[in-house]
């Protein structure tokens, strides 16, 4: 019998849905708070971890934005990114496309330059230390207005040659993708790729808007697309990549239990689903923990896990020759493992 645990552990993979601020571990939060003399309203790491009980997305976002207050200097952003890449490399992630939320930082007086240069330095350190490649995606906060997103895009202009694309995150319900149609058009005109969170808590209509009005290149989450068979067939036909986050879905009560997770249905519907960690410090695990959470799910076998990793490269924003090289390595791994 195949040892699926060992198989997913060693599987070369890309991670396509990771909020770098969501990789801030409690210990690190206390360390940054101390070094920056920032107060946090928790007595201890245990106390903080104890607060990570969420019944919906907004419960999590409230604590996640509060946690980000400890990030102040370029060194903080560098160290945060490198700590994530160290963990990712240990999980055999060979390429990562990471989100950041500049408005969370600029709103409290941290210049965009501090955030972007710190993260880019962390990405460069990861390439040197682990050979791990990465791309940066600038997310607009959807609970803010479109003018704020436009102002952020303007401030980011000097860095746009080092930013792969724009994304849309934060509170989904009540903030449909169409609210950001103009700024996504502007970003597309500047040559940026486009992704958006849709169908995490929001209805299938939000996924249609992300496709038709934001012209997304990749769909973040997308779970609720399955409620609409026409939409599901379209996503399959268009080979749209879905960046699915099983442990996040569990922690935010998007699914009733891991056994009810739709990943198997997604694969059977021909969707290009991938596995990702979203906010690993808050949701109980990094990317391999997310793969492992799916082991034992009815109907998922070794070929499905290989397919999920394959999809992570196909859905990445890497050039074709790099994708081909990663897929060849993956195929060799699968063949050797089965031998
Ligand atoms: N920001 C960080 N994680 C998020 C998620 N899962 N959904 C929306 N916004 C987020
Ligand atoms: Zn997310």
């Amino acid at each position: 019998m195949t040892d699926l645990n060992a198989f997913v552990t060693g599987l070369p993979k890309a991670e396509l849905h990771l909020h770098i601020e969501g990789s801030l571990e409690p210990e690190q939060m206390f360390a940054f708070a101390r070094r920056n003399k920032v107060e946090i309203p928790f007595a201890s790491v245990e106390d903080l971890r104890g607060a990570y009980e969420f019944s919906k997305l907004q419960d999590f976002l409230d604590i996640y934005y509060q946690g980000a207050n400890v990030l102040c200097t370029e060194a903080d952003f560098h160290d945060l990114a490198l700590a994530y890449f160290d963990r990712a490399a240990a999980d055999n992630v060979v390429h990562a496309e990471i989100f950041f939320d500049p408005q969370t930082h600029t709103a409290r007086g941290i210049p965009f330059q501090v955030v972007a240069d710190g993260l880019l330095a962390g990405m460069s350190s990861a390439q040197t230390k682990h050979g791990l490649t990465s791309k940066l995606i600038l997310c607009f906060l959807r609970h803010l207005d479109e003018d704020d997103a436009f102002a952020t895009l303007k401030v980011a202009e000097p860095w746009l040659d080092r930013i792969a694309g724009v994304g849309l995150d934060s509170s989904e319900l009540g903030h449909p993708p169409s609210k950001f149609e103009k700024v996504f058009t502007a970003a597309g005109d500047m040559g940026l790729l486009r992704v958006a969170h849709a169908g995490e808590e929001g209805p299938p209509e939000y996924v249609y808007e992300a496709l038709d009005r934001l012209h997304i290149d990749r769909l973040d989450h997308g779970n609720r697309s399955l409620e609409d068979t026409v939409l599901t067939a379209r996503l399959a036909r268009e080979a749209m990549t879905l960046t699915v986050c099983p442990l996040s879905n569990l922690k935010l009560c998007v699914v009733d239990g891991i056994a009810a997770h739709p990943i198997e249905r997604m694969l059977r519907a021909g969707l290009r689903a991938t596995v990702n960690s979203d906010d690993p410090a808050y949701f109980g695990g990094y990317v391999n923990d997310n793969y492992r959470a799916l082991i034992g799910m009815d109907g998922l076998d070794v070929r499905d896990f290989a397919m999920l990793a394959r999809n992570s490269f196909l859905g990445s924003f890497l050039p074709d020759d790099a994708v081909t090289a990663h897929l060849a390595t993956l195929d060799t791994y699968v063949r050797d493992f089965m031998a």
Side-chain angles (χ1 to χ4, degrees), residues 6 37 53 77 84 99 123 128 130 138 156 164 178 193 204 226 228-229 233 237 242 245-246 316:
K37 301 186 173 46
E53 289 296 333
F77 287 96
Y84 159 69
F99 299 132
M123 292 161 67
T128 306
H130 302 293
L138 183 167
S178 51
L193 293 159
L226 290 175
D228 181 324
T229 53
R237 196 172 56 247
L242 275 68
C245 307
S316 76

Side-chain angles (χ1 to χ4, degrees), residues 17 19 99 169 197 200 220-221 245 278-279:
H17 186 151
H19 301 263
F99 299 132
D169 65 2
H197 284 53
E200 181 184 17
D220 296 316
H221 294 292
C245 307
D278 205 1
D279 301 283

Side-chain angles (χ1 to χ4, degrees), residues 156-330:
E157 255 172 37
W159 285 267
L160 292 185
D161 56 335
R162 285 152 287 166
I163 291 176
V166 294
L168 186 65
D169 65 2
S170 192
S171 322
E172 187 181 9
L173 290 171
H175 301 285
S178 51
K179 182 177 161 185
F180 295 91
E181 183 168 359
K182 292 191 194 70
V183 75
F184 267 65
T185 299
D189 290 345
M190 290 169 166
L192 293 163
L193 293 159
R194 290 167 282 191
V195 302
H197 284 53
E200 181 184 17
E201 286 188 340
E205 288 68 34
Y206 284 24
V207 178
Y208 279 110
E209 286 193 8
L211 294 170
D212 295 329
R213 301 182 65 170
L214 303 189
H215 304 286
I216 52 167
D217 297 288
R218 200 158 69 204
L219 172 60
D220 296 316
H221 294 292
N223 297 41
R224 291 195 58 193
S225 309
L226 290 175
E227 293 170 21
D228 181 324
T229 53
V230 174
L231 176 58
T232 303
R234 175 175 171 191
L235 292 169
R237 196 172 56 247
E238 295 180 1
M240 178 59 64
T241 300
L242 275 68
T243 63
V244 183
C245 307
L247 289 175
S248 164
N249 294 157
L250 192 64
K251 273 298 248 185
L252 300 183
C253 305
V254 165
V255 293
D256 287 336
I258 204 70
H261 196 279
I263 195 111
E264 204 243 347
R265 281 193 289 138
M266 289 172 168
L267 290 176
R268 300 300 166 248
L271 296 180
R272 190 190 271 173
T274 62
V275 173
N276 307 274
S277 67
D278 205 1
D279 301 283
Y282 292 87
F283 299 151
Y286 287 77
V287 72
N288 277 358
D289 298 307
N290 278 270
Y291 275 85
R292 283 190 204 105
L294 302 174
I295 294 175
M297 264 188 80
D298 272 356
L300 280 189
D301 65 16
V302 66
R303 283 165 307 194
D304 296 314
F305 285 99
M307 175 65 78
L308 289 164
R310 192 174 188 81
N311 289 346
S312 73
F313 295 117
L314 292 171
S316 76
F317 293 147
L318 285 166
D320 289 348
D321 57 342
V323 172
T324 303
H326 284 304
L327 291 179
T329 307
L330 173 66

